[in-house]
């Protein structure tokens, strides 16, 4: 057993997950009090297509988040290889990850101030811009030391996005669908 088993294990795991979800039974309706007809429960989740049509601005934001996290996922997955191309090793990867994690904490602690003084949509746009800048600079940084500096961009990227998205969902989506909205945002991660 070696490193070549990782992709096989991932495929088997995801296939099992897909199969288990495919066989789940879902209750769509509840019987009315008198049992005469089926009615949709007030506040019930909408199917994903109806949900996204009902909240088109939110749907656009979800598409943006998927694209951002797709890029972010690649950078995190291949962090060691990126650092090796800059002369780094596993130790440097640990330091880079620690720098990014520490940088995320600052905006999370400042969230009440940020949310009070800035519009949520603007904070999400700001965060998206810094995710994009971080992606390009991660690849362009010529050495390990500058790569550490790029990791500080996690502060305006993930730190702001992680806190703001929760409030953005509550502001954009009606209360009875907010749990579904939060779930869609969580799925983009």
């Amino acid at each position: 057993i070696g490193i070549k088993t990782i992709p096989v294990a991932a495929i088997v795991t995801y296939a099992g997950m897909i199969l288990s979800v495919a066989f789940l039974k879902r209750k769509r309706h509840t019987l009315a009090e008198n049992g005469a007809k089926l009615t949709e429960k007030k506040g019930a989740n909408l199917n994903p297509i109806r949900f996204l049509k009902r909240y088109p601005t939110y749907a656009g934001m979800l598409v943006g988040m998927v694209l951002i996290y797709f890029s972010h996922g690649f950078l995190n997955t291949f962090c060691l290889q990126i650092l090796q191309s800059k002369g780094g090793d596993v130790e440097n990867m640990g330091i880079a990850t620690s720098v990014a994690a520490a940088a995320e904490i600052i905006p999370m602690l400042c969230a009440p101030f940020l949310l009070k003084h800035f519009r949520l949509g603007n904070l999400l746009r700001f965060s998206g811009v810094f995710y994009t800048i971080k992606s390009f600079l991660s690849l362009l940084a010529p050495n390990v030391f500058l790569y550490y500096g790029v990791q500080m961009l996690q502060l305006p990227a993930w730190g702001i996005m992680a806190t703001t998205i929760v409030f953005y969902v509550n502001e954009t989506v009606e209360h009875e669908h907010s749990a579904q909205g939060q779930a869609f945002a969580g799925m983009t991660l």
Side-chain angles (χ1 to χ4, degrees):
I1 295 179
I3 198 164
K4 293 180 181 181
T5 61
I6 293 173
V8 174
I11 290 169
V12 169
T13 302
Y14 285 125
M17 183 181 69
I18 289 168
L19 286 173
S20 66
V21 170
F23 290 106
L24 285 176
K25 299 269 187 219
R26 184 171 163 229
K27 224 180 188 183
R28 292 183 170 222
H29 300 279
T30 59
L31 285 176
E33 284 283 319
N34 61 10
K37 67 177 199 169
L38 293 172
T39 58
E40 191 171 321
K41 191 168 116 178
K42 182 170 174 33
N45 291 333
L46 302 171
N47 74 44
I49 303 299
R50 284 183 58 205
F51 180 88
L52 297 174
K53 282 183 180 178
R54 185 170 186 155
Y55 305 107
T57 303
Y58 182 71
M61 187 274 311
L62 284 176
V63 170
M65 284 182 66
V66 166
L67 296 173
I68 284 170
Y69 288 138
F70 189 74
S71 167
H72 185 66
F74 273 128
L75 289 175
N76 287 337
T77 300
F78 298 105
C79 182
L80 178 59
Q81 289 81 1
I82 293 169
L83 277 164
Q84 286 173 336
S85 74
K86 300 170 189 328
D89 57 17
V90 175
E91 181 181 345
N92 299 118
M93 184 180 89
I95 293 169
T97 303
S98 298
V99 168
E104 293 170 0
I105 294 170
I106 297 166
M108 290 180 181
L109 294 174
C110 297
F113 172 82
L114 293 171
L115 297 171
K116 186 176 180 181
H117 290 89
F118 299 98
R119 290 182 48 220
L120 295 173
N122 289 341
L123 285 171
L124 289 173
R125 286 183 197 95
F126 180 79
S127 175
V129 166
F130 276 93
Y131 264 114
T132 305
I133 291 169
K134 183 181 180 227
S135 294
F136 286 114
L137 292 180
S138 292
L139 301 174
L140 296 175
N143 58 48
V144 172
F145 182 74
L146 288 177
Y147 187 80
Y148 292 158
V150 170
Q151 291 298 87
M152 288 300 295
L153 293 177
Q154 197 74 348
L155 188 153
W158 170 259
I160 291 177
M161 177 85 67
T163 54
T164 305
I165 191 61
V166 175
F167 295 96
Y168 181 80
V169 170
N170 289 339
E171 182 180 273
T172 309
V173 176
E174 293 172 20
H175 178 71
E176 63 263 15
H177 300 129
S178 64
Q180 190 174 9
Q182 296 292 354
F184 284 134
M187 288 188 309
T188 65
L189 300 175

